[in-house]
Amino acid sequence: MSTALVVFSDNAGVWWLRYLKPGFRHCFVMLETDRGCVWIDPLSTGLTIKPLEGFELAGLMRWYKDQGMRVVKVNVHAGKTAAFSWAPMTCVEVVKRLIGLHDCAVLTPWQLYQKLHKREQKSNLGKKSLTFSFR
Protein backbone atom coordinates (compact mmCIF):
# COMPACT_ATOMS: atom_id res chain seq x y z
CA MET A 1 0.00 0.00 0.00
CA SER A 2 1.43 3.31 -0.99
CA THR A 3 -1.41 5.80 -1.32
CA ALA A 4 -4.46 6.53 0.79
CA LEU A 5 -7.39 8.93 0.94
CA VAL A 6 -8.28 10.32 4.33
CA VAL A 7 -11.91 11.48 4.31
CA PHE A 8 -13.36 13.92 6.84
CA SER A 9 -17.10 14.13 7.44
CA ASP A 10 -19.69 15.70 9.71
CA ASN A 11 -20.94 12.36 11.08
CA ALA A 12 -22.34 13.26 14.50
CA GLY A 13 -24.03 9.95 15.30
CA VAL A 14 -22.71 9.98 18.86
CA TRP A 15 -23.64 12.86 21.20
CA TRP A 16 -20.09 13.82 22.18
CA LEU A 17 -19.08 14.42 18.56
CA ARG A 18 -21.18 17.59 18.48
CA TYR A 19 -18.38 19.29 20.46
CA LEU A 20 -15.96 18.80 17.57
CA LYS A 21 -15.56 21.22 14.67
CA PRO A 22 -18.44 20.94 12.17
CA GLY A 23 -17.35 19.15 9.02
CA PHE A 24 -14.55 17.44 10.97
CA ARG A 25 -16.37 15.20 13.43
CA HIS A 26 -15.29 11.90 11.90
CA CYS A 27 -12.62 10.54 9.59
CA PHE A 28 -11.99 7.31 7.74
CA VAL A 29 -9.52 6.04 5.19
CA MET A 30 -9.38 4.41 1.75
CA LEU A 31 -6.20 2.42 1.18
CA GLU A 32 -4.97 1.58 -2.29
CA THR A 33 -3.73 -1.97 -2.77
CA ASP A 34 -2.58 -3.97 -5.77
CA ARG A 35 -6.10 -5.52 -5.94
CA GLY A 36 -8.13 -2.33 -5.59
CA CYS A 37 -9.14 -0.13 -2.71
CA VAL A 38 -10.04 -0.99 0.87
CA TRP A 39 -12.46 1.15 2.86
CA ILE A 40 -11.70 1.28 6.60
CA ASP A 41 -14.18 3.15 8.78
CA PRO A 42 -13.46 3.21 12.54
CA LEU A 43 -16.74 3.97 14.31
CA SER A 44 -17.52 3.98 18.03
CA THR A 45 -19.72 0.93 17.43
CA GLY A 46 -17.08 -1.09 15.58
CA LEU A 47 -14.56 -1.17 12.78
CA THR A 48 -15.85 -1.58 9.21
CA ILE A 49 -13.47 -2.94 6.58
CA LYS A 50 -14.72 -3.46 3.01
CA PRO A 51 -12.85 -4.22 -0.19
CA LEU A 52 -13.88 -1.95 -3.07
CA GLU A 53 -12.92 -3.89 -6.17
CA GLY A 54 -13.07 -1.96 -9.41
CA PHE A 55 -12.76 1.46 -7.79
CA GLU A 56 -9.83 3.83 -8.16
CA LEU A 57 -8.77 6.46 -5.65
CA ALA A 58 -9.29 9.31 -8.13
CA GLY A 59 -12.95 8.40 -8.64
CA LEU A 60 -13.54 7.90 -4.94
CA MET A 61 -11.89 11.24 -4.19
CA ARG A 62 -14.24 13.04 -6.62
CA TRP A 63 -17.30 11.24 -5.25
CA TYR A 64 -16.57 12.12 -1.61
CA LYS A 65 -15.79 15.73 -2.52
CA ASP A 66 -19.09 15.91 -4.42
CA GLN A 67 -20.79 14.72 -1.21
CA GLY A 68 -19.35 17.78 0.59
CA MET A 69 -16.60 15.97 2.47
CA ARG A 70 -12.95 16.99 2.74
CA VAL A 71 -10.48 14.54 1.24
CA VAL A 72 -6.70 14.50 1.54
CA LYS A 73 -4.55 12.17 -0.55
CA VAL A 74 -1.51 10.96 1.39
CA ASN A 75 1.44 8.67 0.91
CA VAL A 76 1.47 5.81 3.40
CA HIS A 77 4.68 5.65 5.43
CA ALA A 78 5.02 1.96 6.27
CA GLY A 79 8.79 1.74 6.73
CA LYS A 80 8.99 3.17 10.25
CA THR A 81 9.68 0.55 12.91
CA ALA A 82 9.10 2.67 16.01
CA ALA A 83 6.09 1.74 18.11
CA PHE A 84 3.15 4.11 18.30
CA SER A 85 2.53 5.74 21.66
CA TRP A 86 -0.48 4.58 23.66
CA ALA A 87 -3.76 6.30 22.77
CA PRO A 88 -7.49 5.56 22.93
CA MET A 89 -8.92 3.88 19.84
CA THR A 90 -10.60 6.74 18.02
CA CYS A 91 -11.17 7.28 14.32
CA VAL A 92 -8.18 9.64 14.30
CA GLU A 93 -5.88 7.16 16.01
CA VAL A 94 -6.83 4.34 13.64
CA VAL A 95 -6.26 6.55 10.59
CA LYS A 96 -2.92 7.79 11.95
CA ARG A 97 -1.70 4.22 12.42
CA LEU A 98 -2.89 3.12 8.98
CA ILE A 99 -1.05 5.94 7.21
CA GLY A 100 2.03 5.81 9.47
CA LEU A 101 1.64 9.20 11.15
CA HIS A 102 3.47 9.33 14.50
CA ASP A 103 2.17 12.47 16.22
CA CYS A 104 0.64 12.19 19.68
CA ALA A 105 -0.47 15.85 19.54
CA VAL A 106 -3.03 15.07 16.81
CA LEU A 107 -6.22 14.05 18.61
CA THR A 108 -9.20 15.36 16.63
CA PRO A 109 -10.22 15.05 12.98
CA TRP A 110 -9.65 18.80 12.54
CA GLN A 111 -6.08 18.54 13.88
CA LEU A 112 -5.44 15.55 11.60
CA TYR A 113 -6.75 17.49 8.60
CA GLN A 114 -4.50 20.45 9.41
CA LYS A 115 -1.45 18.19 9.83
CA LEU A 116 -2.07 16.31 6.58
CA HIS A 117 -2.90 19.49 4.67
CA LYS A 118 0.37 21.13 5.80
CA ARG A 119 2.33 17.99 4.91
CA GLU A 120 0.67 17.91 1.48
CA GLN A 121 1.56 21.55 0.85
CA LYS A 122 5.20 20.91 1.82
CA SER A 123 5.46 17.94 -0.54
CA ASN A 124 3.96 19.98 -3.39
CA LEU A 125 6.49 22.79 -2.96
CA GLY A 126 9.21 20.85 -4.75
CA LYS A 127 6.91 20.00 -7.65
CA LYS A 128 6.33 23.59 -8.72
CA SER A 129 8.74 25.11 -11.18
CA LEU A 130 9.20 28.41 -12.89
CA THR A 131 9.91 28.75 -16.56
CA PHE A 132 11.85 31.72 -17.82
CA SER A 133 12.30 32.74 -21.41
CA PHE A 134 14.98 35.13 -22.57
CA ARG A 135 14.56 37.17 -25.71
Side-chain angles (χ1 to χ4, degrees):
M1 291 177 259
S2 60
T3 308
L5 296 180
V6 180
V7 183
F8 299 89
S9 71
D10 199 35
N11 181 359
V14 183
W15 67 268
W16 64 79
L17 294 178
R18 69 174 184 242
Y19 296 109
L20 296 176
K21 184 174 180 64
F24 297 92
R25 293 183 170 140
H26 180 62
C27 60
F28 57 94
V29 68
M30 301 281 180
L31 295 174
E32 185 177 54
T33 70
D34 56 349
R35 294 184 173 185
C37 297
V38 179
W39 174 53
I40 302 170
D41 194 358
L43 298 166
S44 60
T45 57
L47 181 67
T48 303
I49 302 171
K50 290 185 181 178
L52 301 173
E53 293 178 17
F55 288 92
E56 294 181 1
L57 285 185
L60 291 168
M61 185 175 203
R62 278 191 303 276
W63 190 82
Y64 281 111
K65 283 184 175 183
D66 289 346
Q67 301 303 310
M69 299 179 196
R70 302 280 178 128
V71 183
V72 180
K73 186 176 181 180
V74 298
N75 291 322
V76 176
H77 299 285
K80 209 169 191 180
T81 58
F84 282 90
S85 58
W86 182 90
M89 185 180 158
T90 64
C91 60
V92 172
E93 193 60 33
V94 171
V95 170
K96 284 175 16 183
R97 289 170 187 245
L98 287 169
I99 64 172
L101 178 64
H102 290 259
D103 190 340
C104 59
V106 175
L107 301 172
T108 67
W110 172 242
Q111 291 170 333
L112 179 60
Y113 175 77
Q114 288 180 311
K115 179 78 172 187
L116 295 178
H117 194 64
K118 285 178 187 174
R119 194 165 82 173
E120 180 185 39
Q121 286 177 334
K122 283 182 183 178
S123 69
N124 287 337
L125 281 177
K127 294 179 183 176
K128 295 180 181 178
S129 63
L130 297 174
T131 305
F132 297 97
S133 61
F134 297 98
R135 296 178 191 217

